[in-house]
Amino acid sequence: MLNSQPAHPQFLFPRGLSQPEQGFRFSTDSLLLSTFITPGNSSKVADLGCGCAVIGLGLILANPGKKIQVLGLDKSPEMIRHARINIARLGLDDCCSALEKDVSEVVKSDLYPESFDLVLLNPPYRDPGSGRMPADESRKAASFCTANELGLFFEAAGYLLKRKSRLGVVFAGEQLDMLLSSMGQKRLIPKRMIPVYGTIKKRASLVLVEAIKDGGAGLKILPPLVLYNQDNTLTDRALEFCPFLGCNSRR
């Protein structure tokens, strides 16, 4: 007799996550960031601008057996509500939490400086001067960012990170110059970069960057990650890099 019991939500991740119906919803970039950096055992991780907590939850699920503690921060009460629903739904309350806090408040908050081993960041990366602005305010805030606003994310990251600890960022490929400049101003030195292509015939749409707080010189640009074959199926390397993409095996 076939087992008719539904699969545990952890095995279905990221399907079924609670998200706003009309506001900002996570996409491929968040899933890629969740598997980009392998944390050490007993790592304390901060996810700045966590949204519905997809990145932190993905990090935990991609590293079973490791005692990772993730704290997600977001200024949106609605996003924090969805994050807490998802944390509870996946049964990860003991290792993941979400706090309503704007990144601009982190430096003046009760969070201890240099107390995190890893910070993950999927900041807004669209230029406010390009494209149409969405009517929904939450979608606008999660999509568009000026250089000054981006600097606040890295100021918070630099405040939270221990010296020589790591930052993981996913960002728009065409805005790489702004990304590197903003990180450098906060002593977050890029050490590893992967350009991400939708298909091999298109330009890189994203970059994944690992930086070290107070790191030395030297940046490794790794082989590109191509997500889709010409028939719109996921490439083997994309699935190996981020198995969570398998929930959307065709575009």
Side-chain angles (χ1 to χ4, degrees), residues 198-211:
T199 65
I200 195 62
K201 293 185 177 181
K202 294 185 177 181
R203 62 185 179 183
S205 57
L206 298 170
V207 287
L208 292 160
V209 179
E210 178 183 347

Side-chain angles (χ1 to χ4, degrees), residues 46-50 71-75 99-116 119 121 151-161:
D47 177 10
L48 301 183
C50 67
L71 172 64
L73 304 176
D74 202 289
K75 67 180 181 180
L99 178 65
E100 184 185 335
K101 190 176 292 293
D102 195 313
V103 293
S104 65
E105 301 170 350
V106 168
V107 174
K108 299 178 181 179
S109 72
D110 55 358
L111 294 170
Y112 287 107
E114 299 192 335
S115 57
F116 285 81
V119 169
L121 180 54
L152 294 174
F153 280 93
F154 291 118
E155 182 178 20
Y159 173 85
L160 293 174
L161 278 172

Side-chain angles (χ1 to χ4, degrees), residues 2-246:
L2 293 176
N3 186 354
S4 60
Q5 292 295 320
H8 192 282
Q10 289 189 11
F11 295 104
L12 301 177
F13 179 89
R15 291 187 183 276
L17 289 182
S18 179
Q19 300 186 76
E21 290 188 10
Q22 301 299 326
F24 180 79
R25 300 172 71 84
F26 76 85
S27 57
T28 299
D29 50 2
S30 294
L31 298 177
L32 293 173
L33 182 57
S34 73
T35 59
F36 174 47
I37 293 180
T38 302
N41 195 22
S42 301
S43 288
K44 189 176 178 182
V45 183
D47 177 10
L48 301 183
C50 67
C52 70
V54 59
I55 296 172
L57 293 171
L59 182 78
I60 294 169
L61 295 176
N63 295 275
K66 291 190 175 182
K67 297 178 180 179
I68 305 167
Q69 289 290 329
V70 176
L71 172 64
L73 304 176
D74 202 289
K75 67 180 181 180
S76 166
E78 182 183 25
M79 281 300 189
I80 291 299
R81 181 176 68 83
H82 287 288
R84 290 171 176 167
I85 290 172
N86 292 328
I87 292 167
R89 184 176 292 172
L90 271 66
L92 296 174
D93 310 69
D94 60 334
C95 56
C96 190
S97 58
L99 178 65
E100 184 185 335
K101 190 176 292 293
D102 195 313
V103 293
S104 65
E105 301 170 350
V106 168
V107 174
K108 299 178 181 179
S109 72
D110 55 358
L111 294 170
Y112 287 107
E114 299 192 335
S115 57
F116 285 81
D117 305 291
L118 173 63
V119 169
L120 298 176
L121 180 54
N122 180 8
Y125 48 65
R126 293 186 62 186
D127 184 343
S130 66
R132 292 177 58 187
M133 283 283 190
D136 183 85
E137 288 298 323
S138 65
R139 188 184 295 271
K140 184 189 301 182
S143 301
F144 293 85
C145 189
T146 66
N148 287 339
E149 290 167 337
L150 183 63
L152 294 174
F153 280 93
F154 291 118
E155 182 178 20
Y159 173 85
L160 293 174
L161 278 172
K162 299 175 183 176
R163 191 169 184 270
K164 300 297 184 181
S165 291
R166 296 182 293 168
L167 167 73
V169 187
V170 61
F171 208 69
E174 62 185 16
Q175 300 278 14
L176 179 59
D177 54 343
M178 182 170 73
L179 173 67
L180 298 181
S181 175
S182 295
M183 288 196 304
Q185 291 173 19
K186 304 303 178 182
R187 309 189 338 261
L188 301 166
I189 310 303
K191 302 297 293 181
R192 190 166 65 101
M193 181 187 303
I194 300 177
V196 181
Y197 295 78
T199 65
I200 195 62
K201 293 185 177 181
K202 294 185 177 181
R203 62 185 179 183
S205 57
L206 298 170
V207 287
L208 292 160
V209 179
E210 178 183 347
I212 304 290
K213 180 179 177 180
D214 296 323
L219 170 62
K220 294 180 180 179
I221 300 179
L222 301 182
L225 176 63
V226 180
L227 298 181
Y228 290 95
N229 298 304
Q230 292 304 308
D231 62 357
N232 281 345
T233 58
L234 283 161
T235 65
D236 291 341
R237 181 157 184 261
L239 284 169
E240 180 182 4
F241 184 91
C242 181
F244 301 136
L245 297 177

